[in-house]
Amino acid sequence: MTKEDTVKLISAEGFEFVIDKEAAMVSQTIHNMLTSPGSFAETEHGEVTFPEISTTILEKICQYFYWHLQFASGKETEFTIEPELTLELMMAANYLHT
Amino acid sequence: MTVLRSRVVLPTKTTLKSSKTRISGIEPVTPTQTHEPSSILLPLPTTTNPSSSSPNKPTNSCPGNSGLGSDAVPVSGAIRRRSLRLASRVDSAEVANESLIFDRRREGEEGNYSVLGTYLVEEDKAGIDISKDIGAPSMSVELSGKMSLDSIGDTVRVLEVKDGKVLFVEDSDAEGGGNGPGLRQEVVQVNQVDVKSLDEDRSNFTGGGSRSKFKNAKGKRKMGIDVRLGTEYAGDEGSKRFLNLRSGKLISKIGTDTVVDKNEDLRKDDEYSRNNISAKRIRGIEIEGKGKGKLGKDDLLSNGEAVRLDVEFGIDNLMGDVVGVDSFQSISVRKMEEEDKREFGCSGELGVVTENLEQGPSGAENSTLKRRRFSREEKGKGALADTGGSLSTVSHAVELDLISKINGSGDYANSPANHLSINVALQDERQFRSTSTREGVSRRNEYMERFRDIARENASRFAHFSREEEAENDNHLSPDAEVDREIEDWPGPFSTAMKIIKDRTMKSSKKVCSSSGKSVPKPITWVPKKGQSNIPAKLLVPSLQELCIMILAKHVDAIASLESVPDALRNKLSQLLCDSRRMNNHFFELLVRGSPTEICLRDCSWLTEEQFVKSFQGCDTSNLAVLQLDQCGRCMPDYVLLDTIAQSSYRFPGLTNLSLTGACRLSDLGLGALVSSSPVLRSINLSQCSLLTYASINILSDSLGSLLRELYLDDCQSIDAMLSLPALKKLEHLEIFSVAGLETVCDQFIREYIIACGHNIKELVLRDCVKLTDSSLKVIAEQCSKLCALNLMNLCKLTDSSIGYLANGCRAIHTLTLRRNAFSDEAIAAFLETSGEFLSDLSLNNVKKVGRNTAISLSRHARRLHSLDLSWCRSLSDDAVGLIVDSCSSLMVLKLFGCTQITDVFLNGHSNSRIQILGLKMTSLLKCVKVPHPQEGPLHYSSLSCSI
């Protein structure tokens, strides 16, 4: 796995999640960040920082990215969301357009 | 033969002897025997069996081929019988015979009077032969361009028999001199009879029997006549054709001033062609009887009935056909309008009509109208020959036997149904006239087409009898006719497109229809995509947001706060909760808490007054911009509103959108308080607020005046449109005006309002304003140049001209919503040709005539179409829908409710992978309900900033 294929997502607390670029592209917001023309830091380094998203939420979001790919490829499973995370997750998802 | 409500069938066995007199060619009118002084003189032949079970018995045996003179009509004494035979034949070849035979028997109560007449009209190549046989002493036949036969008090005219082109027999029972005692005059008008043979492929009629049913209901009388025509075709193997004769209504009134109206709309469509289409229409029989007489007495004019039979043959290579129409006593086959001479260029065309009328003997029938029975027999035998080269040697014999029995009890005079049907009759006639005059002589094909359409329209009306509809239909007919004429005169882009489409249809149908008499449109060629049929379309992965909202909705009671949740998400969540009926007070408090900018609840029916007051009183509404409390009838009576809102004069300083649908306890007073505390209101939805009156509109216009952009008054039953018109005119910047379901909205209202404010209107919702006619649409098209969206659901009175106006006038329309409109396939197709490029949203829900032309035009022009509703358009095939879906690249949503004719061939074969098809399989309906897009601004057509 080369660096070009991965993206590093950094949570508010500074945790870093390195995931496939393909998975990260599920989010329209990240997709725009990474593909927008011009030399943004995100595009250059493949890093995106989310100062408003906590680590637990970002982890869940990363799980969703991979689940999304799985689902799209035909493996239909259920994505479980803990109720206590839901509200926050929803707002984060709204931000990320996922 | 089926007889409904017939007490006794009175058949008379009589053998008709008719001496034939031939009048060859077109002769000048020869009123030879105008009066039949003594009808008694007629031989009283055989016994009349009143109760004989065979009323159908062909009393007249007309030799089918050359039914000339060989008929013998004996008349029994107690029976008045008139037999009229018209045998007209056009012979190019020997065998080809067309004969029109009218045989009429009439049985009066008073047996003295009997008339027997047989008219034979024979048409030869060169001219017309009319032979008339009259058993009765006095009859007069006028032949020439006009031929009138005057028999016993009856005038039978055959108007314009021209080379078999137009056959016009008129019987205007203007009492002939020899009205026997108690003779009634009956006028039966057959406006148009469309003779349609069901089996079009077969050119043979076999079996001589024809069958008719008359249904009589007391209140409403509908006469349904099924006439089976049997014809024999010399050259063909025996195949059967059936002729459907559909009669509209029979109405009779009796009273001194009462009118016996019998309106039969006989529709016979006989399309019968080998080479081409042959169509004949005989439409409508109107029987009007006027005057009252006691039957037992000698009242000459006691009942008048006129039978007008209008037979039109418009056929290229026509094989003739038979129309038998029968009236009680007198029959007239008349071409509807004498003035316009319609010539159908049918080369060979023969109609054989035999009418044999038998009327129930007893005078009690007519006089008292109790237990009144009419038995009619019509028989037609004829041989039809086509002079057209191909079928020259085909002789066509048609026997039409029609028996009707009317058994009415009680008196019909007072039943409103009578009026209605009279109206209908008149209307039909008027329509017929307007269309006919309009058409003129121009093109036969169009002509045929038009009549066919009219016949179809009427057919549907008769199928679903609705008094209201008919009464209403009668009102605004004349403007329609004018409108029609106008649109025809002015060749705009629409009419041009219309013409092109019609031509196209004609061409393609000519190509295809070879043996079938009916025009079968060329099938739409659409090749379903193969290979991918089994691979499911790309799975729609639920977004994380959706997943979260669904889980939140499940655990709504656990939500502690909605602070910092964006409005879009709040609204989504609220909507989901309302739709699933899980909305509760807890969530309502969450919504209200703090200083919300939007409170959207699309269902407040769960909310009680106390809960509402308690929750809402603490709400900081200073920032509130959108307040939607739909279905709030329960929680929002006036006093609650005054308690919660009237605390300060500017309770809602920033409120721009207010929706209070279903506030059935909200009165003008409450609305006044609400409006006065909302100074910047831009959009207000007061749908289903049934207590509001025009005073509310006054309040709105006084305090909001030029601010208001959107006004919804759907189904506010207490608002009188005309009374609120002055106030509405003050709302001069209104962009959305919705008056759906307001019964008081009429053409005049629309005209005045649109002329005053139409230039700003962008969206009009006129759903269910059933009084509106084409004239409203004309004004709208002329004035509303900015119109973007138009809703015309259930406006049954609109005709194709409305679509024409829209196409020519409102070029900005991108959303058109139709449902159950009577627009024709061609008209919608023409509209799409002219305006289809701009359409993004189109609903053709239940526009039943939508067919292949629309499909083709959609596929060609609807490039931007995003949403399409074809529900209940059941004449669209897999191929048509497939073509639409594959061609309209922008199409995302397709609704196909009720389209069970659509099969998997389409579902698996279309190539638009993004499209969402609703209605065919089990789909979630809630997703179809239109909800304003969350990202959308609060106003549909203008931003708040610029509007303020």
Side-chain angles (χ1 to χ4, degrees), chain A residues 64 68 86-87 90-91 94 98, chain B residues 541-545 548-549 564:
Chain A
Y64 173 79
H68 182 105
T86 311
L87 197 59
M90 180 179 70
M91 292 162 69
N94 185 47
T98 54
Chain B
V541 185
S543 74
L544 185 57
Q545 203 171 310
C548 292
I549 289 181
S564 77

Side-chain angles (χ1 to χ4, degrees), chain A residues 60-61 64 67-69 71-76 78-83 86-87 89-95 97-98, chain B residues 538-549 551-552 554-555 559-566 568-570 573 935:
Chain A
K60 200 73 189 171
I61 286 173
Y64 173 79
W67 176 84
H68 182 105
L69 294 182
F71 194 95
S73 66
K75 188 178 178 185
E76 300 187 29
E78 188 138 346
F79 185 68
T80 56
I81 301 174
E82 293 76 11
T86 311
L87 197 59
L89 191 60
M90 180 179 70
M91 292 162 69
N94 185 47
Y95 171 69
H97 286 281
T98 54
Chain B
K538 195 176 175 183
L539 277 178
L540 199 61
V541 185
S543 74
L544 185 57
Q545 203 171 310
E546 290 172 22
L547 292 172
C548 292
I549 289 181
I551 292 175
L552 274 185
K554 259 183 211 168
H555 301 88
I559 300 176
S561 167
L562 287 178
E563 222 171 320
S564 77
V565 175
L569 291 179
R570 287 174 176 233
L573 194 50
Q935 307 299 335

Side-chain angles (χ1 to χ4, degrees), chain A residues 3 8 33-34 36 38-49:
Chain A
K3 195 185 173 189
K8 186 186 290 181
M33 284 177 175
L34 295 180
S36 59
S39 55
F40 291 101
E42 290 85 359
T43 318
E44 299 260 315
H45 304 106
E47 282 183 16
V48 185
T49 307

